Amino acid sequence: MTLEPAEPAGPSGSAGPSEPDDPHSDLLAVLPRLTQLSAAFTKGRLTERAAEAAGLALDRPAMGVLVTLRTADQPLRIGEIADRMQVVGPHVTRQVQALEKRGLVRRVADPHDRRASLIEPTAAGMEAANRYVTSLLGWFAEALADWPRQDREDLTRLLNRLADDVTARLARFDAEE
Amino acid sequence: MTLEPAEPAGPSGSAGPSEPDDPHSDLLAVLPRLTQLSAAFTKGRLTERAAEAAGLALDRPAMGVLVTLRTADQPLRIGEIADRMQVVGPHVTRQVQALEKRGLVRRVADPHDRRASLIEPTAAGMEAANRYVTSLLGWFAEALADWPRQDREDLTRLLNRLADDVTARLARFDAEE
DNA sequence: TATTGTTATACTCTATAACTATA
DNA sequence: TATAGTTATAGAGTATAACAATA
């Protein structure tokens, strides 16, 4: 399946964005905003700065693995980390190697399957992950310090639902092909 | 300036994520959700599919330029497009060349400055941009079809404010360095 | 001398392909 | 023969550096 071929948004030759009475006019704003936020986080190098504040010299993908392990609260296989991060295996392999080299994670043998190993944070890794998350959330909390509690709760709730709905719809999308 | 060095999130050795009474616990959910949405749009190749539905064989950056021109509703310089997209000049130069090659945009001389040229969509480019935006918004509207109107309005409002606040804070951040 | 844009190159993040070891 | 992981390579997207033309 593909996206609908769809009629032009307005009469041919209409040059502007959606009219005010367009039923989708509110959505027109959501997509660019999500793009803007995503780009801002990347370009602002928030992740890298929070890592530096935690005393680490690691890039975003490596921090993602470390935080995934911290959140899991139990050793994970490479494949399980990849699933949770929604990336492919080889990508995780490299990040884990970088974390290992810095003594932030270690591998332990999987007692039930000698093909796999389990990855767990070291004490240093866990402490660094805590410092990192605190630093990142602290920055974010400051940015939202002026927000009414109700708005913060609404944002969290709506964003959760949006992510779920979009993910589910994309999954069906792929399945139909 | 850098992010605060910040104390560990919990007592040393505490392994889990923030406690339920953590004042930042709601924020803990926002960041991963934004990441998830961004990754979902990329991996779902929504942009590419909408472009195909509009009869175009263009990638995301090129579509970004075309939509920027459509939204502007007037010819723009390369530098102005770069500013609006928040990317650097050379990037825009290449996308415009690709769009030119396909007859979707054309260059006109800037009467006041012979160093610059103005980029404007051709009729075909404008029609394609309209088809593209309609297709993309249609998909998005379907994903949110079940949402109460109030929730959609709240999401738009909160996301707008979030993007503005985050962008402003990052700008101050950079300025302090 | 400052600014606009182009060309060429490099970097970040993630994916695919080919292979090894174990199940 | 299927699965977990690794190594090597490729691709998309964007940035930096060096340069040209005009202001």
Side-chain angles (χ1 to χ4, degrees):
Chain A
M1 185 224 178
T2 60
L3 289 172
E4 295 295 318
E7 293 297 308
S12 189
S14 158
S18 302
E19 303 300 321
D21 59 344
D22 184 325
H24 297 163
S25 62
D26 56 342
L27 297 178
L28 193 62
V30 171
L31 245 15
R33 288 311 211 172
L34 286 172
T35 302
Q36 179 187 350
L37 276 166
S38 171
F41 286 131
T42 301
K43 300 210 312 168
R45 303 194 327 116
L46 253 201
T47 304
E48 289 82 354
R49 296 200 219 221
E52 284 167 24
L56 301 169
L58 291 167
D59 55 18
R60 183 135 63 144
M63 293 313 303
V65 170
L66 192 55
V67 169
T68 298
L69 289 169
R70 185 194 104 112
T71 304
D73 239 2
Q74 63 172 328
L76 299 179
R77 295 167 148 217
I78 294 282
E80 178 63 27
I81 297 171
D83 285 349
R84 296 194 186 201
M85 293 182 68
Q86 310 207 73
V87 296
V88 295
H91 185 65
V92 175
T93 293
R94 271 200 319 287
Q95 308 311 326
V96 166
Q97 286 167 345
L99 292 167
E100 250 187 309
K101 212 175 301 177
R102 286 167 175 77
L104 299 169
V105 306
R106 97 183 111 236
R107 301 168 103 98
V108 300
D110 184 325
H112 304 306
D113 188 343
R114 281 190 310 188
R115 292 172 304 182
S117 51
L118 297 169
I119 319 298
E120 69 180 8
T122 61
M126 188 59 85
E127 284 161 21
N130 285 336
R131 289 196 302 274
Y132 168 80
V133 169
T134 301
S135 180
L136 196 58
L137 288 184
W139 184 92
F140 205 66
E142 279 176 43
L144 274 65
D146 296 338
W147 285 44
R149 161 173 285 277
Q150 183 64 53
D151 281 353
R152 290 213 302 259
E153 287 174 7
D154 285 345
L155 176 65
T156 303
R157 173 177 58 87
L158 295 170
L159 218 45
N160 282 346
R161 196 157 86 216
L162 180 66
D164 286 342
D165 286 359
V166 164
T167 301
R169 180 156 270 264
L170 280 171
R172 279 204 297 147
F173 216 85
D174 287 339
E176 285 168 20
E177 288 188 335
Chain B
M1 187 226 177
T2 61
L3 288 171
E4 294 294 316
E7 293 295 307
S12 191
S14 157
S18 301
E19 303 300 321
D21 60 344
D22 183 327
H24 301 339
S25 63
D26 56 339
L27 297 178
L28 194 61
V30 170
L31 245 16
R33 289 311 211 173
L34 287 172
T35 303
Q36 179 187 350
L37 276 167
S38 170
F41 285 131
T42 301
K43 301 209 312 171
R45 303 193 327 115
L46 254 200
T47 304
E48 290 81 354
R49 296 200 219 220
E52 284 166 25
L56 301 170
L58 291 167
D59 55 19
R60 184 137 58 145
M63 293 314 302
V65 170
L66 192 54
V67 169
T68 298
L69 288 168
R70 185 195 104 110
T71 304
D73 240 0
Q74 62 171 327
L76 298 179
R77 295 166 148 221
I78 294 283
E80 178 63 28
I81 297 171
D83 285 349
R84 297 193 186 203
M85 293 182 69
Q86 309 208 72
V87 295
V88 295
H91 186 65
V92 175
T93 294
R94 271 202 317 289
Q95 307 312 325
V96 166
Q97 286 166 346
L99 292 167
E100 250 186 310
K101 211 176 302 176
R102 286 168 176 77
L104 299 170
V105 306
R106 98 183 110 238
R107 301 168 102 97
V108 300
D110 183 326
H112 303 306
D113 187 342
R114 281 190 310 187
R115 291 173 305 181
S117 52
L118 297 170
I119 319 297
E120 68 180 8
T122 61
M126 189 57 86
E127 283 161 22
N130 285 335
R131 289 195 302 274
Y132 168 81
V133 169
T134 302
S135 179
L136 195 58
L137 288 184
W139 184 91
F140 206 66
E142 279 176 42
L144 273 64
D146 296 338
W147 285 44
R149 161 174 286 277
Q150 183 65 53
D151 281 353
R152 289 213 302 260
E153 288 174 6
D154 285 345
L155 176 64
T156 303
R157 174 177 57 87
L158 295 171
L159 219 45
N160 282 345
R161 195 157 86 216
L162 180 65
D164 286 342
D165 286 359
V166 164
T167 301
R169 180 157 270 262
L170 279 171
R172 278 204 298 148
F173 217 84
D174 286 341
E176 285 170 19
E177 288 189 335

